Structure formats: C-alpha cells, structure tokens
Amino acid sequence: IVSHEPLFYQKRWSVDAEAGNSWITEADDEDKIVNQKRAEALKRMDGCLFRCHSNWDPAPEIGITAQLIATMELGPTTKSGRFTTLHEVAPITVRDLARKVQQRLNTGAIRVVGDLDREVTQVATLIGGLGQLFNSPEDPAALGAEVIIAGECLAYTLHYAKELGVALIEAG
C-alpha cells in the first residue's frame, strides 16, 4: 500500500505538547479498534506500507507543491517560506483564479474568502493540510501574497487570512 496519510490513527495528534494536556480521552494507538482492524487487514494480505507524506509535499519538480505550481501555471517562484511559495502572475480576479483552481484541479465546490472582485498578481501556495493551523496564512502574507491557494483549512484559518487582508482559496 502506498499512502500519503498514516495508516494508523495516532494519539499524539490530540495532545498539546507544550502543556502535556490531552484534549480528549482516547485509547492508546494499539488499542484503537480502527487500528486493530487495519493491522489485521494488512497482515491478512501479507502486505507492507510505504507512506510518503512530508517528503513528497515539497519534493522539487515532482512533489505536490511543484505539481500544483505547474498545473496552475503559476510560473517561477519569486519568494518562498518554509512551506509556502510566492508567484507573480498576470492580473486576475480572485473569482477567476478560484474558477481556474476548480477547473484545473477538478475539485467541485471550494471555499473562498476575500473580495472576489479584487485583482491580484501575488499568488502563494500553502502545502496540503497546513491550512488546519490557525495562523498558517502569516507566512504567505509576510511574503507579500494577495491570495493563497491552500489544501484543507479550518474555519479559523479562513478568518485569519481574511483579517490579514489576504484572500484564500481552499482547494482541498
């Protein structure tokens, strides 16, 4: 099995590492019923798992971000942050860029925040699920982004982008 996300649910994702607090009460990884079923299925099929998540996202030329840039025809990266890239494009409205995202990525419905009629030239990418971090729009905004194309986002993240004055297109 080749997967992007982990096969097994991990307890560590619900723990606040700084405070050492668990947000919810949950079973240990090996005691989770879902994990037990998945482990049994993998054993029955005499299978193995190759997970290529964080190494695949930023991989040059062939990674997810590089493919998004190519698919969206964003052109060369003018600036980059740790998990974001910035691109100068021909003037386009947020509305038209959102439609282009829908068409090129065949997403169906997407969420967009910001002024749909705003004309932008500075487009940032934000890798995959980093939109699930409330303040992730800060990095692209600091680079000069006027609009961000991101994967899946939390509602808080969308509000944060809007308050920063940056449009955000959630394509995930």
Side-chain angles (χ1 to χ4, degrees), residues 102-122:
Q102 281 182 299
Q103 291 167 352
R104 295 278 174 93
L105 301 181
N106 194 26
T107 61
I110 59 175
R111 291 194 294 181
V112 182
V113 297
D115 179 356
L116 296 177
D117 295 320
R118 179 181 180 191
E119 197 169 77
V120 297
T121 60
Q122 301 298 312

Side-chain angles (χ1 to χ4, degrees), residues 55-151:
N55 57 340
W56 191 252
D57 285 336
E61 298 179 30
I62 60 171
I64 292 171
T65 299
Q67 291 303 305
L68 174 64
I69 292 165
T71 300
M72 294 305 304
E73 297 177 338
L74 297 177
T77 299
T78 58
K79 295 180 185 175
S80 60
R82 184 159 183 214
F83 296 108
T84 188
T85 60
L86 186 70
H87 307 267
E88 187 167 349
V89 301
I92 186 170
T93 64
V94 172
R95 175 183 282 106
D96 288 341
L97 182 59
R99 286 185 176 137
K100 184 176 176 181
V101 167
Q102 281 182 299
Q103 291 167 352
R104 295 278 174 93
L105 301 181
N106 194 26
T107 61
I110 59 175
R111 291 194 294 181
V112 182
V113 297
D115 179 356
L116 296 177
D117 295 320
R118 179 181 180 191
E119 197 169 77
V120 297
T121 60
Q122 301 298 312
V123 180
T125 63
L126 187 61
I127 293 175
L130 288 179
Q132 295 177 60
L133 303 174
F134 296 168
N135 58 357
S136 59
E138 282 182 20
D139 197 18
L143 295 176
E146 298 168 317
V147 60
I148 301 166
I149 301 172

Side-chain angles (χ1 to χ4, degrees), residues 15-21:
V15 175
D16 180 342
E18 283 186 29
N21 295 331

